[in-house]
Amino acid sequence: MLVLWSASLVIAIFAFVLAVVKLSWMYMMVSTITSIPATSYFIGATNAWKYTGLTPLILFMLTVVFGFLEKRQE
């Protein structure tokens, strides 16, 4: 189970970096979807780590922004 969680986190970070470099909404969506398992672990925390669970929402907002930027360039 830990291997899947770690792989999901690594893929999310890699896709995020790639999305920012290329300004691609598709890579940002991959980052959003793959970050959900890793961040859902922290939602049940009773301290400040529970706010880490909001990361997919922020990534989804960036996905929408990148999508609008990509449409605008066409």
Side-chain angles (χ1 to χ4, degrees):
M1 188 70 166
L2 184 61
V3 173
L4 294 175
W5 184 79
S6 302
S8 172
L9 187 62
V10 168
I11 292 169
I13 292 171
F14 180 72
F16 177 77
V17 169
L18 205 59
V20 170
V21 168
K22 293 189 173 195
L23 289 177
S24 171
W25 70 271
M26 188 64 78
Y27 287 121
M28 190 59 76
M29 183 60 82
V30 169
S31 177
T32 301
I33 292 171
T34 57
S35 70
I36 291 172
T39 57
S40 65
Y41 175 78
F42 293 105
I43 290 175
T46 57
N47 53 12
W49 282 103
K50 66 182 171 187
Y51 298 115
T52 306
L54 299 175
T55 304
L57 295 174
I58 296 167
L59 292 175
F60 184 72
M61 285 188 270
L62 282 173
T63 302
V64 172
V65 168
F66 285 174
F68 282 133
L69 289 175
E70 199 169 291
K71 267 188 176 178
R72 199 174 215 192
Q73 289 178 353
E74 290 178 358

